[in-house]
Amino acid sequence: MRALRLMEWKSEPELVEVDEPKPGPGQVVVKVGGAGACHSALHLMHDFEAGALPWGPPFTLGHENAGWVHALGVDVSGLDVGQPVAVYGAWGCGTCDRCRLGVETYCENLAAAPVPGGGGGLGLDGGMAEYLLVPDARHLVPLPDGLDPVHAAPLTDAGLTPYHAIRRSWPKLAPGTHAVVIGVGGLGHVGIQILKATTATRVIAVDTRAEALRLAEECGADLVARSGDKAADQIRRATGGRGADVVLDFVGTDGTLALAAAIVRTTGDLTIVGIGGGTLPVSFFSVPYEASIQTTYWGSRPELIEILDLGARGLVRPRVTTFPLDEAMTAYHQMQQLRLEGRAVIIP
Ligand SMILES: [Zn+2]
Ligand SMILES: [Zn+2]
């Protein structure tokens, strides 16, 4: 079968021929129906030096996957060949406290995980191939009726990541509050929909690009603001001078973090989701009183079940552009040039 593989750090991946995977005991092979192209893969191609992560190339890209059960290893029950499934992408040890809760993103026994701190497309072979080997059946969530693999795939990361970040701030998103989404890309445009579907907060979206702000409006944003010198004042005014109860930064550069700190309300949440590499100085006087500042990473398996339910009911629907496997690099290049709207999904 063909697979889009990262062969070494600081290089573009190559489309190469590899053997089809066979499931060992407890494992499942999924026929990939959709593999989302995530911005973080651009960091994998361009930014990492050998040794910076506990894993490395060569591996097949694609950590955002859904498809159909293709082959079951011995001892796997509860799944049928042909059944549509989403793949929970963070593969931990499976037995530590965090993994037992389904929070395998924060596995605390990384030495016992299939790859420390990674998963398919992150150190192990991912979904940008015809078939994907999933090392344990617990990582598969059956798709609810109404959701196809092409639209389910981005929900496993571009949906799950903002869902996790928003869910933890639900108590701060009562009617009368404001939430700001900075960066209306693959994750941000889904984040706006999740805020609208699960809370009664007013949503303000910020981006540099007019097309992204149009997409934000189509996703339900109550107000959009062009990022720049005037954005902080505009958002402060829109919140009656109080600031936003929850600010979700899907970019994470110095500039967006400074904006986030300038617009967060006292006791608000400032959540850094984007891996833009920026920094935010935090001291007693640098942020409003009792503002909580946190990072979040991906989400849990129970949360994946919830975001798939929102997807199946049409309450959250990623804007998807599909590409065949041999045009996957076109998708990444368009993303890099900020020309891609919403999420690219590769159909192998
Ligand atoms: Zn991702
Ligand atoms: Zn674990």
Side-chain angles (χ1 to χ4, degrees):
M1 66 173 186
R2 293 181 314 157
L4 186 73
R5 287 172 73 75
L6 189 68
M7 305 305 283
E8 53 188 307
W9 292 124
K10 305 229 170 175
S11 73
E12 294 216 325
E14 295 170 25
L15 196 55
V16 296
E17 196 70 27
V18 296
D19 290 340
E20 274 182 35
K22 300 268 178 289
Q27 302 180 333
V28 180
V29 170
V30 170
K31 179 171 168 47
V32 179
C38 180
H39 197 272
S40 63
L42 292 175
H43 292 282
L44 292 178
M45 296 173 205
H46 302 304
D47 295 346
F48 289 100
E49 305 279 354
L53 293 173
W55 41 262
F59 59 88
T60 302
L61 289 173
H63 56 267
E64 198 178 81
N65 306 305
W68 300 270
V69 172
H70 176 69
L72 300 169
V74 292
D75 300 339
V76 176
S77 57
L79 290 166
D80 297 315
V81 170
Q83 182 177 7
V85 288
V87 182
Y88 178 66
W91 297 344
C93 75
T95 55
C96 73
D97 290 355
R98 292 284 159 81
C99 283
R100 285 186 194 281
L101 290 169
V103 191
E104 302 208 17
T105 39
Y106 304 149
C107 172
E108 290 174 323
N109 186 13
L110 294 177
V115 65
L122 301 165
L124 294 176
D125 289 340
M128 297 220 173
E130 204 176 338
Y131 298 101
L132 166 66
L133 177 67
V134 178
D136 193 294
R138 75 175 186 278
H139 300 306
L140 297 179
V141 178
L143 290 191
D145 289 343
L147 198 53
D148 60 85
V150 168
H151 288 88
L155 290 176
T156 67
D157 177 12
L160 179 59
T161 302
Y163 184 74
H164 174 74
I166 290 164
R167 196 185 198 290
R168 72 196 299 288
S169 291
W170 273 351
K172 297 187 180 181
L173 292 167
T177 62
H178 294 85
V180 174
V181 170
I182 302 176
V184 189
L187 276 65
H189 87 285
V190 186
I192 294 166
Q193 297 179 45
I194 293 166
L195 284 163
K196 299 303 286 186
T198 64
T199 80
T201 193
R202 288 180 180 80
V203 179
I204 301 170
V206 184
D207 203 289
T208 53
R209 302 162 292 157
E211 323 82 76
L213 296 180
R214 247 194 327 273
L215 175 60
E217 284 173 335
E218 289 163 17
C219 290
D222 298 282
L223 180 76
V224 297
R226 196 72 173 258
S227 55
D229 299 345
K230 301 191 182 95
D233 284 345
Q234 189 186 350
I235 292 165
R236 279 267 162 202
R237 272 200 309 281
T239 60
R242 298 188 299 265
D245 299 81
V246 174
V247 181
L248 300 151
D249 185 352
F250 290 104
V251 183
T253 59
D254 286 346
T256 59
L257 290 170
L259 173 65
I263 58 178
V264 70
R265 188 182 187 178
T266 52
T267 76
D269 279 351
L270 190 173
T271 304
I272 304 166
V273 186
I275 53 175
T279 53
L280 174 68
V282 175
S283 65
F284 194 90
F285 295 108
S286 72
V287 289
Y289 291 129
E290 281 191 47
S292 298
I293 292 156
Q294 58 261 311
T295 58
T296 61
Y297 175 62
W298 219 339
S300 70
R301 193 164 47 242
E303 289 166 341
L304 176 59
I305 293 167
E306 294 175 0
I307 186 71
L308 291 174
D309 182 69
L310 290 174
R313 292 156 66 197
L315 295 171
V316 169
R317 196 159 180 85
R319 187 72 62 94
V320 162
T321 310
T322 59
F323 295 82
L325 186 57
D326 49 15
E327 285 173 27
M329 284 317 297
T330 308
Y332 283 118
H333 290 148
Q334 286 186 10
M335 191 188 307
Q336 195 164 19
Q337 295 156 6
L338 300 177
R339 289 196 288 124
L340 193 76
E341 186 186 74
R343 200 61 152 182
V345 175
I346 311 305
I347 302 180

